[in-house]
Structure formats: structure tokens, C-alpha cells
Amino acid sequence: MTELLPNHLAGRWQTGGGPGTPLFDPVLGTELVRVSNAGLDLEAGYAYARDEGGPALRALTYVQRAGLLSAIVDVLKANRDRYFDIALANSGTTKQDSAVDIDGAIFTLGQYARWGASLGATHWLPDGETVLLAKDGAFRSRHVQVPTRGLALFINAFNFPAWGLWEKAAPALLSGVPVVAKPATATAWLTQAMVADVAAAGILPAGALSVVCGGAQGLLSPLRPFDVVSFTGSADTAAAIRSHDAVVRRSVRVNIEADSLNSALLLPDAQPGSEAFDLLVREVVREMTVKSGQKCTAIRRIFVPASCYAAAGEAIAAKLSRITVGNPRNETVRMGALASRQQWESVQAGTAALRRHADVLHDGSAVPLVDADPAVAACAGPTLLGATRREAACIVHDTEVFGPVATLLPYEGLHDALDQIRLGQGSLVASLYTADAALAADAALALADSHGRLHVVTPEVAAVHTGHGNVMPMSLHGGPGRAGGGEELGGLRALGFYHRRAAIQAAGAVTDLLDGAVPQRSMPGH
Ligand code: NAP
């Protein structure tokens, strides 16, 4: 039997009971390690995080906690090569795709360390300006934000075992809130290894960072009113979390990042042969193939003027036909595996459902695998579909296939395009391709209520834009409606989730003291 990975809880390493759940290499099908949290006393572990980790973190200032983040960055950088090995084995990703997860995590942590250093040697943050409650100013209101005295439980999806942990943990730890991480079982190894390295380095106070691997059974029951939960995963699990007693009766604050049918939109000015057209084609291909399309932000729907439909389909399919798929240990392979054979089956089923209503413009199932056995490996070639019939296209706006699959859709006029995009019921991101700045601004604003991020690609940013699906810590990550309604990142805004806001109504003498003590920088509202 393979090694059973221990959990880090209540400040010590604890092995779960039973044989555990095996984690596999999705290319070779071999078993790698096992995970289990059976028999763990979660109640006691959470209490330890709240009672030991919380006070120790809150005793530090924002600047000191920013220093902890920097020290974590150093540890992760020192162990980076091993993380790539684990990602290759357990996620089946190419080096470039592993970097999106691992280097993305390190970059995000480093960015929060830099922002945190600017927050000052303080234990609380001002929120807006002090306002007068009495005409002569004798009585005033000052809003403050203070770290919540609970823990932050992170329940993550399988696709980002590194970034998924640290993009949440960076603002939480900077805020002074202890973290309990529960990675998705299929790829939990990398998360566990990173926490193990940080624990071994002795950077954080005891109880500040825990990891619980294995099933989610009983995870939410020990939560208390000042705890928070940040979840990334499917809409079904999100619904189960939202309806849990901890949330419904104990008002545990929840942030949900769920599935999303993100769009790319070629605006009407951009015809075949234009730079904007080529930029859309390039970005669609990148989004479909990076991490085998297993990005919550990946482009699933591609909207082009009806007059460009055939040309766009041909251009995207031509580029997809050059993508090599298979074992990422072979250096000629551009696209590795999906995270598991189960995920592969889910992608096959989702693609088959879409194919019943769409034309196949590039067939991923016909792509021969490099150095991988199709009966074993969770590798799937990229598939481009096209849906020209409106009734048939309905399923495209409602079905997220979490893999290298996207659908091309024609539109008749900009309003039609915007209406069709909104059929996604709220998404994380839409990208717009045009050479017309005014048109881009109008379209971005028109979609802003139904998206967390609008990514505008015009020719002058061709070489510098950060990519449709790349989540930068400077910008909001999350989306309304179907996307879960959550908000993460977006600079220091992210700290709001881990703070409690209160108004202090008092005499000017009191608010003057608070105003005098305030650090240089005020935190934007959450
Ligand atoms: P999932 O099945 O919902 O699992 C997500 C996490 O929830 C896992 O850690 C899972 O643990 C845990 N979980 C399962 N049942 C639970 C329960 N009843 N209570 C509490 N936690 C529970 O999602 P997935 O299949 O791993 O991820 C794919 C989905 O995530 C896609 O739909 C994708 O769009 C979405 N996603 C969204 C974002 C975003 O930022 N918006 C990012 C990435 C992925 P186990 O693994 O142990 O079952």
C-alpha cells in the first residue's frame, strides 16, 4: 500500500484511520499516495486554530504578518522543483501548466506580502472617513475593520491545488485569521506538501495553518458564528454548503466560487484578417488547452459576428489541430491530462451532450495520444463545437464541460451578442476583442453587472495583456449568479471577507484618537 499522508491539525501531524483514499497519476493510472481524515477530532482542531492560531496572529501587526507571507514565499521557492514533480505525477500537467498553479501561487503570496507591508504597524483598519452625527461635530461615526476572531475554512477544487490554497490563505493570514485548508481529494498531495514545508520551516504560529485531506464529511458542523468558509467547486456542492446549519443558523460567512460559462466576444468591427480577430483566435486556443481547459475562467463560449463564423471556426480548428496531447513527460506534448479518469468521463459525457446540438468543427476524440494509453490515461484532445441554431444553442449556455471544449456561436448585431452572453446567468470573466476603444468601453460596461471581470484585448495590448483566464491578484476574481456570487482577490479588497466592520459612534475626542492612530492606508469596503 502507498504512503498515507498525514493531516496537520491542532498544531500537530495526525494520520487518519482506515486504508484511506488513493490518489492516482492520471496519465499512467498508478497509485501515488493515500489520504484519510477518518477519526480526526475536527471540533478540537478548529478550537485549537481559533484559540491558539488566531490570538497569535492577531498579536502581530499587518506589517509583521506581511513578513510571514514573504517567508512562506521563500520556503515555496526553495521547494519549487519538488512541487513540479508532484503536479506532474498527480495532476498530469505539463511544466507550463504546473507553473500556472505553482508560480501563480507564489506570485499571489508575494503580491499580498508587498501590499501588506504598506498597511502599517497596526492591528485594525479604518473604513472610510469619520462622519458627523451631530451638527457641531461633537458626536461622530467612524467605521473600523477588525480581523474576525474565527477561523477560515477553505474548501478547494481539484484544478488548482497550489494557487487555490494560497490565493485564499494570503489575504486570510495577512488579516490575522487562522486557516484550515481542505483540498479536493484527487489532487490533495501538492497542497499537503506545501503546508508540510511551511510547517517544517516554523514560520507561522501554532494553529495558524492546518490541512485536512480526504472526504468532506463533518467538515462544516464544528463551525462557529465568527468562522468563514471560502469554497471553490461545483454549483451542487455550493448549494449543500449554503444550506448547511452552520451557514443558515450560525451565520457563518460564505464565499462561493462555482462554475461558469465564460465568453470571448469578437466585436462587430473586427473582421477576419484584422489583428483583433487573430488575437481572439490565439486566446481561444490558449484558453481551451492550458491545463486541458480545467480552469474555472476558461473560455467556454465564443461569440463572433455571423459573417465571421466560418472563418473563425476554420482558424481556431487549424491551430487546435497542431496541439499534441498525451504524457507530459514527453517534451513534444503541449497538453497533458485531465485531473482524473473520473474527470475524463465527465468531460466525455458533457461533450457528448453538447454534440447532440452542435456541429463538430474540431474533433478532440480523433487526436492520437503521445506516450499514453487511451484506455488508461485521462487525456482528451481539444474539441471545438459550433452551434448555429438558436434553440439548439440553449444547452451551450447551460452546460459547463470542465475540459478542453468550447463552442463557437454566431450573433446578429451587438445587442444580440450581449443578450446571448447573459444567457450564461453570470460568469467569472468575458473577454472582448476589438480595435475600437469606445465600443470596447460600452460593451464592457454593458456586461459588468453579470461578470466579475471584463478583459478587453485591443491591438495595443497584444503583447502585454495578462490573458483572459489568468487570475491576477490585482483584479477581482468571482462572478454573480451562476458563478457563485463570490468575490476574491482584487487587491486589499480581499481582506474585507476576513474582517468584521463596525461603526464606533462617539465623542469627537474618541474618534480623534482613532483617526490619529489610523495607518496611512484605508481599506476599500468589501
Ligand atoms: P466539487 O465536487 O464541488 O468539489 C469541490 C470541493 O468540495 C472538494 O474539496 C470536495 O471534496 C468538497 N466537497 C464535496 N462535497 C462536499 C460537501 N458536501 N461539503 C463540503 N465540501 C464538499 O467540485 P470539483 O469537481 O472538485 O471542481 C470542479 C468545479 O469547480 C467546476 O464546476 C469548476 O467550474 C469549479 N471551479 C470554480 C472555480 C472558481 O474560482 N469559480 C475554480 C475552480 C473550479 P472532495 O474532493 O473530497 O470530494
Side-chain angles (χ1 to χ4, degrees), residues 70-365:
S70 293
I72 295 174
V73 166
D74 292 342
V75 169
L76 299 185
K77 279 184 177 166
N79 292 283
R80 186 174 167 272
D81 288 351
R82 193 161 52 85
Y83 302 149
F84 275 82
D85 290 344
I86 294 176
L88 175 65
N90 192 199
S91 293
T93 36
T94 61
K95 195 155 191 186
Q96 288 84 342
D97 285 357
S98 300
V100 176
D101 188 26
I102 295 163
D103 291 339
I106 293 172
F107 173 72
T108 302
L109 260 169
Q111 188 59 54
Y112 273 95
R114 285 188 286 280
W115 282 326
S118 75
L119 282 176
T122 181
H123 298 275
W124 61 277
L125 294 170
D127 183 348
E129 302 295 318
T130 295
V131 292
L132 307 188
L133 295 177
K135 269 190 185 152
D136 60 0
F139 197 56
R140 304 177 191 181
S141 177
R142 138 117 341 268
H143 284 84
V144 296
Q145 299 218 30
V146 294
T148 189
R149 291 186 179 230
L151 62 82
L153 173 64
F154 298 154
I155 305 175
N156 276 330
F158 61 79
N159 55 341
F160 280 103
W163 178 83
L165 166 66
W166 295 111
E167 62 102 11
K168 291 180 184 347
L173 294 171
L174 181 58
S175 299
V177 177
V179 166
V180 177
K182 148 64 182 117
T185 297
T187 56
W189 191 8
L190 180 53
T191 309
Q192 195 269 0
M194 288 179 146
V195 173
D197 290 337
V198 173
I203 296 164
L204 294 170
L209 179 61
S210 308
V211 64
V212 176
C213 302
Q217 189 72 23
L219 208 59
L220 300 174
S221 298
L223 292 174
R224 301 272 174 81
F226 300 119
D227 296 335
V228 300
V229 175
S230 186
F231 168 77
T232 299
S234 65
D236 286 346
T237 310
I241 291 173
R242 278 205 177 95
S243 57
H244 193 278
D245 254 18
V247 178
V248 177
R249 297 190 188 284
R250 300 197 285 283
S251 306
V252 165
R253 188 185 275 173
V254 187
N255 191 78
I256 304 274
E257 302 289 350
D259 55 20
S260 179
L261 288 152
N262 312 294
S263 307
L265 169 61
L266 185 69
L267 284 164
D269 65 298
Q271 293 298 309
S274 68
E275 200 174 345
F277 180 92
D278 293 344
L279 286 166
L280 170 121
V281 170
R282 191 198 305 165
E283 198 63 11
V284 165
V285 172
R286 181 157 62 188
E287 284 297 308
M288 287 178 70
T289 53
V290 169
K291 285 184 74 69
S292 297
Q294 298 171 111
K295 288 204 329 298
C296 52
T297 48
I299 296 168
R300 309 290 179 204
R301 301 177 295 157
I302 310 147
F303 295 91
V304 295
S307 59
C308 302
Y309 177 83
E314 280 164 23
I316 298 167
K319 279 191 183 292
L320 290 176
S321 67
R322 294 198 283 275
I323 302 289
T324 42
V325 185
N327 189 336
R329 292 165 185 88
N330 183 316
E331 284 185 0
T332 65
V333 166
R334 270 277 308 279
M335 198 168 86
L338 296 159
S340 64
R341 194 68 188 182
Q342 190 188 8
Q343 202 49 35
W344 182 87
E345 277 159 16
S346 157
V347 167
Q348 302 307 313
T351 309
L354 289 180
R355 283 177 78 145
R356 282 196 281 279
H357 303 274
D359 304 318
V360 179
L361 306 182
H362 178 76
D363 187 358
S365 65

Side-chain angles (χ1 to χ4, degrees), residues 1 4 16-22 34-37:
M1 198 187 289
L4 187 59
T21 306
R34 292 179 167 243
V35 292
S36 165
N37 56 42

